């Protein structure tokens, strides 16, 4: 797929004290990309746009080079112990994106250049008890592979975890630029979960991400390179022909991924489509012609943390999805583990 190139880059002054910040500045200057040095709080108001759609589109082409200030990591249960960020947001335009309602009206991309500080923070959060392994998630606030061709930060992080005997890294991606990661000394300490879906969902709702074919090829390459791998099938949607299309997906996986070479069982995380009222508002403004099914009449409420709620499929439909998708996993990769369905 075509790799991301920013339209404009903002540098936080502190980022230029780090080698990666300086390297990025030189690179973008050479490429003739407009550069502005300014504190992060000025970025939002500098992104133009007359309406929500325009602001969103411009923000997604804006990169901020920054330093990570907070050195406290959030807990990330149940998929990991803690989460951290090398970058926030991503250049993809998935209509249903889980970040729609959390990253404000101008969801620009941000990359952090003080990697050593981030690594020291990770080390401080590792449980030092004997035989204990602490798991860290790197994709809670964006797609860490999307900027890899510019920063190389994910590769450095994979090698950092490769050298730790008591910590593991987990990454989720919808991008396919994995070639620079294949020969790294990862020691099997990083699990990639490739986010996949049916052709209809990818083609209709996941703009500017790797295609159906490209993701399967990327997963196959990662698996051959010895990484433990998994798949996040999300969001699973019901539409005319959904069963046939998800079957096609699993047939393709079966023939493309050699599970016998995986150092650990392949995992599947199955997530049905859901939306919150605030996400729906953002989605309708940003994608006025969206074909996403967000009719509350056809859904049931599910309460989450802090009294928030979301709309999910009704119980019987959700059960049908769960049974059908679990059957596809069992038939295509009998030794795979289903981590959860939600
Ligand atoms: S790739 Fe992930 S983070 Fe990026 S827009 Fe899509 S869902 Fe959101």
């Amino acid at each position: 797929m075509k790799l991301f190139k920013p339209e404009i880059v903002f540098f936080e002054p502190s980022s230029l004290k780090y080698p990666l910040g300086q390297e990025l500045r030189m690179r973008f200057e050479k490429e003739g990309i407009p550069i502005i040095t300014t504190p992060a709080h000025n970025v939002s108001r500098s992104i133009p746009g007359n309406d929500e759609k325009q602001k969103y589109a411009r923000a997604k082409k804006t990169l901020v080079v920054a330093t990570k200030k907070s050195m406290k990591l959030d807990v990330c249960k149940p998929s990991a112990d803690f989460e951290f960020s090398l970058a926030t947001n991503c250049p993809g335009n998935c209509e249903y994106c889980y970040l729609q309602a959390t990253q404000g009206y101008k969801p620009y991309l941000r990359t952090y250049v003080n990697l050593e500080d981030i690594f020291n923070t990770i080390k401080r959060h590792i449980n030092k008890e004997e035989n204990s392994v602490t798991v860290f998630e790197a994709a809670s606030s964006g797609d860490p592979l999307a900027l890899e061709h510019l920063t190389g930060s994910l590769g450095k992080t994979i090698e950092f975890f490769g050298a730790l005997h008591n910590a593991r890294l987990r990454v989720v991606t919808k991008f396919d630029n994995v070639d620079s990661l294949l020969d790294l000394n990862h020691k099997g300490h990083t699990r990639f979960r490739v986010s996949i879906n049916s052709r209809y969902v990818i083609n209709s709702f996941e703009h500017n991400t790797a295609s159906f074919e490209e993701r399967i090829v990327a997963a196959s390459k990662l698996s051959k390179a010895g990484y433990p791998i998994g798949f996040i099938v999300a969001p699973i949607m019901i539409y005319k022909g959904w069963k046939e299309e998800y079957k096609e997906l699993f047939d393709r996986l079966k023939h493309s991924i050699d599970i016998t070479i995986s150092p650990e069982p392949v995992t599947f995380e199955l997530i049905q489509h859901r939306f919150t009222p605030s996400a729906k508002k953002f989605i309708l403004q940003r994608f006025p012609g969206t074909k996403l099914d967000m009719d509350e009449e056809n859904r049931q409420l599910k309460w989450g943390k802090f009294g928030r709620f979301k709309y999910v499929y009704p119980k019987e439909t959700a059960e049908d999805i769960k049974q059908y998708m679990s059957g596809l996993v069992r038939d295509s990769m009998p030794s795979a583990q289903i981590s959860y369905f939600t």
Side-chain angles (χ1 to χ4, degrees):
M1 70 168 294
K2 201 168 157 228
L3 295 172
F4 170 70
K5 186 172 174 182
E7 202 173 69
I8 183 167
V9 184
F10 291 84
F11 282 83
E12 264 188 9
S14 61
S15 70
L16 295 168
K17 293 187 198 140
Y18 293 85
L20 180 56
Q22 292 158 10
E23 207 182 289
L24 287 171
R25 184 163 181 125
M26 275 196 296
R27 175 190 181 127
F28 294 133
E29 269 172 1
K30 218 159 137 196
E31 291 180 3
I33 294 172
I35 286 172
I36 297 175
T37 304
T38 186
H41 60 260
N42 288 335
V43 174
S44 251
R45 75 174 84 113
S46 310
I47 298 173
N50 295 328
D51 57 28
E52 178 54 24
K53 199 174 159 197
Q54 283 180 9
K55 287 180 207 160
Y56 169 77
R58 299 299 290 269
K60 282 279 188 171
K61 293 189 173 129
T62 301
L63 176 64
V64 177
V65 180
T67 50
K68 184 75 184 163
K69 313 247 169 14
S70 165
M71 292 299 157
K72 189 167 176 337
L73 302 184
D74 287 333
V75 170
C76 182
K77 296 287 181 190
S79 70
D81 294 299
F82 295 102
E83 61 188 51
F84 71 96
S85 308
L86 299 170
T88 57
N89 222 309
C90 95
N93 304 101
C94 301
E95 296 187 15
Y96 58 76
C97 177
Y98 61 111
L99 303 172
Q100 290 285 11
T102 58
Q103 297 201 337
Y105 281 91
K106 295 190 179 159
Y108 54 79
L109 285 70
R110 183 173 10 211
T111 186
Y112 299 115
V113 292
N114 53 335
L115 284 188
E116 287 305 322
D117 297 336
I118 294 171
F119 293 166
N120 286 333
T121 303
I122 290 167
K123 279 187 192 156
R124 277 203 307 279
H125 285 74
I126 294 174
N127 185 340
K128 304 290 183 308
E129 279 171 34
E130 211 180 332
N131 299 327
S132 161
V133 173
T134 312
V135 182
F136 294 82
E137 170 66 64
S140 298
S141 49
D143 193 311
L145 192 54
L147 299 179
E148 185 62 5
H149 59 295
L150 300 174
T151 66
S153 299
L154 180 59
K156 289 187 190 117
T157 308
I158 288 171
E159 292 212 311
F160 165 74
F161 273 89
L164 297 173
H165 71 280
N166 52 356
R168 297 289 180 270
L169 174 64
R170 290 165 66 90
V171 179
V172 185
T173 190
K174 281 188 174 71
F175 289 77
D176 72 331
N177 47 314
V178 297
D179 288 359
S180 65
L181 309 177
L182 302 180
D183 295 326
L184 296 179
N185 199 8
H186 58 76
K187 301 256 185 66
H189 292 182
T190 295
R191 178 179 285 272
F192 271 92
R193 288 114 81 221
V194 177
S195 175
I196 49 169
N197 219 310
S198 67
R199 284 185 193 276
Y200 168 76
V201 174
I202 291 177
N203 293 342
S204 308
F205 306 115
E206 300 184 351
H207 318 292
N208 292 319
T209 60
S211 69
F212 178 90
E213 304 291 345
E214 288 168 335
R215 289 186 215 178
I216 293 174
V217 170
S220 168
K221 286 182 183 174
L222 289 166
S223 167
K224 284 184 184 137
Y227 285 97
I229 61 162
F231 296 95
I232 298 194
V233 191
I236 301 166
M237 293 187 194
I238 301 282
Y239 58 91
K240 191 165 179 294
W242 70 278
K243 287 193 172 174
E244 291 74 19
E245 285 214 342
Y246 282 106
K247 173 144 185 1
E248 184 212 359
L249 167 65
F250 279 84
D251 285 346
R252 288 299 311 280
L253 292 181
K254 180 178 175 178
H255 293 112
S256 309
I257 310 294
D258 182 358
I259 48 174
T260 59
I261 55 173
S262 183
E264 293 174 19
V266 174
T267 56
F268 280 87
E269 293 158 76
L270 307 174
I271 306 174
Q272 61 169 307
H273 179 240
R274 71 268 322 277
F275 61 92
T276 62
S278 62
K280 179 175 177 178
K281 192 180 108 210
F282 274 105
I283 293 165
L284 293 176
Q285 287 172 339
R286 290 171 175 173
F287 303 96
T290 184
K291 288 190 278 175
L292 269 181
D293 174 13
M294 294 186 289
D295 184 350
E296 292 85 351
E297 294 290 309
N298 300 331
R299 300 294 178 113
Q300 82 176 37
L301 281 177
K302 180 172 177 179
W303 293 90
K305 278 191 253 171
F306 315 118
R308 292 195 196 117
F309 65 89
K310 51 198 154 202
Y311 290 98
V312 295
Y313 286 111
K315 205 164 164 222
E316 309 72 53
T317 313
E319 190 54 33
D320 185 23
I321 297 173
K322 183 179 176 185
Q323 293 308 329
Y324 185 68
M325 300 299 285
S326 303
L328 290 179
V329 173
R330 276 196 304 274
D331 293 347
S332 59
M333 293 192 191
S335 62
Q337 286 176 357
I338 297 176
S339 306
Y340 57 85
F341 168 83
T342 181

